Amino acid sequence: MEDFNGGMPDLLDLQEFDEEALKKESEEVLQMRFLSSDNAVFARTEGGFLSLQTDGKKYERVGVYLTFPLTDAEEFISIREADEKAKEIGLIRTLKDLKKEEQEMIREQIRLRYFLPVIRKVMDVKDEYGYAYWHVQTDFGVCRFTTHMGGDAVINLGGARYQITDIDGNRYELPDLYALTVMERKKLDLFI
């Protein structure tokens, strides 16, 4: 009988190889690695990115992701590879587990990834054709943005704290609705 595989490995052999590789990758993903000063060294690259050396391996660039971005920016920080898969390398249980200069590098990366201007004053909010047009003062200056009316554009984060997401996906924080003046709160009646 002729070999129809043209000298290629049998399909069953390929499936077993892939299955083993998948099993190994799954085990790596399921293994939780905590990173601290004992087993990891973070450094700033020339381009301003963050690099990591751990377990004898050097990652030229890593990404920093918060597990609880709205409630805790100092604990359970995921460090991931900087490619499109963003495979997790390890987890920082708390920033206190790192050296002071490394803590600052991580905080800087968090500020860049989770840019969240804080609304200090509401100058105007208009409702037209299903959209809300905001004119506000933030901790980064005067800003204008647009949100959808209804839906989840304005989310209560508990108490008088709100997060507002514009139509481009940019987020803004209103830390305390009652810190605004009565007139500013009246402008928000339709939206909050």
Side-chain angles (χ1 to χ4, degrees), residues 71-108:
T71 57
D72 200 346
E74 298 275 317
E75 294 184 355
F76 298 104
I77 301 165
S78 176
I79 303 300
R80 302 180 191 175
E81 293 180 5
D83 61 12
E84 64 278 349
K85 289 184 180 179
K87 180 180 168 189
E88 187 171 79
I89 300 164
L91 202 62
I92 299 169
R93 189 183 314 261
T94 176
L95 277 182
K96 295 173 190 168
D97 290 343
L98 300 176
K99 296 173 185 163
K100 292 285 184 201
E101 56 273 5
E102 290 178 323
Q103 290 178 28
E104 284 310 310
M105 286 185 265
I106 299 287
R107 284 187 186 106
E108 177 183 285

Side-chain angles (χ1 to χ4, degrees), residues 16 18 38 43-44 49 74 78 93 99 120 129 159 166:
E16 287 177 21
D18 289 342
D38 297 333
R44 185 175 283 115
F49 298 112
E74 298 275 317
S78 176
R93 189 183 314 261
K99 296 173 185 163
R120 302 287 182 207
Y129 307 109
D166 72 13

Side-chain angles (χ1 to χ4, degrees), residues 173-186:
E173 181 183 5
L174 181 57
D176 184 2
L177 177 65
Y178 299 107
L180 300 175
T181 66
V182 173
M183 290 304 292
E184 289 175 285
R185 288 197 309 264
K186 271 188 155 310

